[in-house]
Amino acid sequence: MQTVLSGIRPTGNLHLGNYFGAVKNFVKMQENNNCYFFIADYHSLTTHPKPEDLQENVRKVLSEYIACGLDPEKSTIYIQSDMPQVAELYLLLGMNAYVGELERTTTFKEKVRKQPENVNAGLLTYAVLMAADILIHNAHKVPVGKDQEQHLEMTRKFAQRFNRIYEVDYFNIPEPYNFGEKLVKVPGLDGSGKMGKSEGNAISLIDEPKVIRKKVMKAVTDAGPAEQNSTKPEPVQNLFSLMELVSNKDTISYFNDKYNACEIRYGDLKKQLAEDIIVFTTPIRERILDIYNNSEYLNKIMKIGKEKAIESGSKTISEVRKIIGFKPF
Ligand code: TYM
């Protein structure tokens, strides 16, 4: 049986990008694999959350996960900071991670550019902690979105390096996974780039219908095609890509035909897209609210997840310590 792992930072509500990039695939995999899904609260410390917000964010994301179909009976669902073994593996892997390669990571370079006032060491070593998350359970497959591909590549590198230095075949070399297809990048509503929590271009699963309608109606488009059958510019293609995720085939081909005939009315397309998103998110939103209000259930899930995660993490750490040469006198 293969081990599958994925995670998410508790820094805002789950959005369509998180769902279609990672959570959906994970849910499909939990039937036939040994699955771990965790909330990356150590990682979220790079953004310096207030102590009173940290716990609340974790609770929110945990409710959202479960509402999306993660099943605590089938998967181990846990909070990263509940398994301190991951912090030890992060320390150990960090000894063989080089500053140059960490500085060259795209996400790090982007943070340096976007927030020069807060370039902390946690951001620099973000990929090492992520590698520790994955290797602590010796995962084979990691369902993630396209934006995490480079981090996964670094995890593979760190795992191979460890095996080579210590002349062992200990760590599996984990693969980013999307059922044999390319990793997904869900676009945002602002015309370019990916949907993201901090970009202000996202539709959250918890958004009320009126919020969804407002966001979609404000999405960036253009003046419309000047020639029949022309290639769609990025902002327009993005709306079609979102339709591919939530609308049925007939709707998509209707609007494609209209576009190709230069008869498209973006207002109509947006109205339809908003309604299709609402149909998709409404049952999830209702489940989130039910679960969020059930503290007893959430506490039980966290307790069971913590025990199972620690059992697996402790085994890995004691084996890694032995390989490295920490032995009692
Ligand atoms: P995070 O919290 O930014 O996102 C969680 C998951 O959602 C995916 N995702 C997307 N996929 C497609 N299109 C989008 N627009 C989009 N936005 C987000 C992400 O690819 C991710 O799979 N570093 C990770 C959390 C993490 C992790 C790990 C993941 C920490 N350790 C170990 C896997 C394995 C992150 O910040 O994801």
Side-chain angles (χ1 to χ4, degrees):
M1 196 189 270
Q2 297 232 298
T3 298
V4 175
L5 172 137
S6 203
I8 194 161
R9 277 169 305 138
T11 49
N13 292 104
L14 237 73
H15 52 70
L16 293 177
N18 300 133
Y19 181 83
F20 288 104
V23 181
K24 178 181 170 215
N25 290 336
F26 188 90
V27 168
K28 274 206 255 173
M29 296 171 91
Q30 63 185 353
E31 300 305 324
N32 318 312
N33 297 282
N34 176 25
C35 285
Y36 292 89
F37 214 115
F38 74 99
I39 298 175
D41 57 347
Y42 279 150
H43 273 112
S44 77
L45 296 184
T46 59
T47 61
H48 303 162
K50 293 202 190 92
E52 60 271 27
D53 292 339
L54 187 62
Q55 172 71 3
E56 180 54 20
N57 289 343
V58 167
R59 223 173 98 103
K60 241 175 11 194
V61 175
L62 180 63
S63 315
E64 293 178 329
Y65 262 166
I66 305 205
C68 287
L70 253 82
D71 183 343
E73 309 250 321
K74 295 181 185 147
S75 295
T76 300
I77 303 172
Y78 67 100
I79 319 295
Q80 189 182 31
S81 64
D82 270 345
M83 186 188 56
Q85 290 77 6
V86 78
E88 184 170 350
L89 186 58
Y90 161 67
L91 182 150
L92 299 174
L93 291 174
M95 300 301 167
N96 293 314
Y98 294 96
V99 173
E101 63 189 343
L102 298 176
E103 281 174 340
R104 283 193 298 277
T105 315
T106 312
T107 44
F108 179 71
K109 287 198 290 200
E110 211 177 282
K111 294 286 179 198
V112 172
R113 194 167 49 78
K114 281 196 183 160
Q115 50 175 69
E117 74 297 346
N118 178 23
V119 184
N120 56 64
L123 285 174
L124 181 68
T125 57
Y126 190 100
V128 183
L129 181 54
M130 191 156 152
D133 292 328
I134 297 167
L135 300 177
I136 194 80
H137 301 298
N138 223 342
H140 299 91
K141 292 199 166 109
V142 188
V144 282
K146 176 100 185 123
D147 58 323
Q148 298 298 322
E149 202 168 24
Q150 191 184 28
H151 286 152
L152 253 295
E153 201 39 59
M154 294 178 80
T155 301
R156 291 162 63 81
K157 205 194 259 182
F158 297 145
Q160 276 157 340
R161 197 175 284 163
F162 181 94
N163 288 349
R164 194 178 61 246
I165 292 173
Y166 295 106
E167 298 180 2
V168 288
D169 190 13
Y170 182 71
F171 284 128
N172 297 318
I173 311 302
E175 274 176 56
Y177 191 73
N178 182 22
F179 296 93
E181 309 218 342
K182 279 206 210 142
L183 298 188
V184 175
K185 182 183 106 178
V186 178
L189 296 171
D190 51 354
S192 68
K194 66 158 189 164
M195 187 174 282
K197 285 169 211 156
S198 47
E199 332 294 332
N201 65 3
I203 295 192
S204 301
L205 300 174
I206 191 79
D207 280 346
E208 295 280 342
K210 62 175 186 302
V211 174
I212 296 178
R213 288 191 191 103
K214 202 164 153 200
K215 285 184 178 174
V216 176
M217 292 317 281
K218 274 177 35 195
V220 175
T221 49
D222 65 359
E227 273 174 41
Q228 292 200 344
N229 302 316
S230 51
T231 310
K232 299 183 185 86
E234 192 182 357
V236 177
Q237 179 53 49
N238 286 354
L239 295 183
F240 275 90
S241 302
L242 288 170
M243 268 201 155
E244 296 280 343
L245 301 172
V246 293
S247 303
N248 65 38
K249 282 204 176 72
D250 291 346
T251 305
I252 299 166
S253 56
Y254 172 82
F255 284 104
N256 257 318
D257 292 347
K258 288 279 178 202
Y259 186 88
N260 288 334
C262 298
E263 287 168 5
I264 186 98
R265 294 199 336 205
Y266 291 131
D268 293 348
L269 178 143
K270 287 178 178 179
K271 262 192 212 146
Q272 183 66 46
L273 176 60
E275 293 316 308
D276 290 343
I277 292 175
I278 291 166
V279 168
F280 173 77
T281 53
T282 296
I284 301 182
R285 189 180 76 253
E286 287 168 356
R287 283 199 298 273
I288 295 172
L289 296 174
D290 274 355
I291 297 167
Y292 179 78
N293 290 319
N294 192 343
S295 296
E296 207 181 309
Y297 178 58
L298 288 175
N299 289 343
K300 196 170 132 206
I301 292 171
M302 284 195 259
K303 187 164 171 281
I304 296 171
K306 177 177 173 175
E307 280 165 16
K308 289 201 273 180
I310 288 183
E311 192 186 328
S312 157
S314 308
K315 179 172 172 291
T316 307
I317 273 298
S318 72
E319 287 166 356
V320 166
R321 289 177 70 105
K322 237 186 255 157
I323 292 171
I324 288 181
F326 291 122
K327 286 180 187 139
F329 287 107

